[in-house]
Amino acid sequence: MDENKMEYGADLLTLLDEDGNEHQFEVADTMEYEGEEYMALVPVFDDPEDLLEDSGELLIFRSVNEDGDGYLEPIEDEALFHTIADLFMERLEDEYDFIEE
């Protein structure tokens, strides 16, 4: 392999839900907006049947770091959520097919 060429795989995160179940996501994109960091995630499935049943929604969270611990939290402000979602959709439109609802 050429020393100047590097191959990168998907950036994956494993998150725990309220019930302690693990779910794996691919980080589709990250960005900073007004001093805050945001992440757009896409679910990863081992079973193709699960993929077919998925809604295909892009999941968007605010990334928070407190005392060296990082976590993701939902965006509570609906107007801010739509602003961030629109920005991610513009940035990712070449990689994903979005359907307007």
Side-chain angles (χ1 to χ4, degrees):
M1 178 180 209
D2 183 345
E3 288 181 31
N4 295 323
K5 289 186 180 179
M6 299 182 86
E7 291 185 29
Y8 296 96
D11 192 6
L12 300 178
L13 287 177
T14 301
L15 303 178
L16 295 175
D17 64 18
E18 296 99 18
D19 299 325
N21 299 315
E22 291 186 350
H23 302 276
Q24 194 166 33
F25 297 90
E26 178 181 350
V27 178
D29 197 7
T30 61
M31 72 173 175
E32 186 176 313
Y33 180 79
E34 295 185 352
E36 300 285 344
E37 190 76 23
Y38 296 92
M39 282 187 163
L41 306 176
V42 178
V44 174
F45 300 101
D46 293 328
D47 184 351
E49 290 295 319
D50 291 340
L51 179 60
L52 292 173
E53 293 175 12
D54 182 57
S55 66
E57 290 184 51
L58 191 65
L59 304 174
I60 300 171
F61 295 95
R62 184 169 75 98
S63 179
V64 179
N65 280 311
E66 286 184 2
D67 300 324
D69 291 330
Y71 62 93
L72 300 176
E73 68 179 22
I75 302 169
E76 299 293 332
D77 181 299
E78 191 171 331
L80 176 61
F81 175 82
H82 287 294
T83 298
I84 300 299
D86 289 344
L87 290 170
F88 274 127
M89 287 175 65
E90 285 176 25
R91 292 166 55 113
L92 296 168
E93 67 186 351
D94 291 338
E95 297 176 48
Y96 297 93
D97 293 326
F98 295 108
I99 298 171
E100 295 289 329
E101 292 184 11

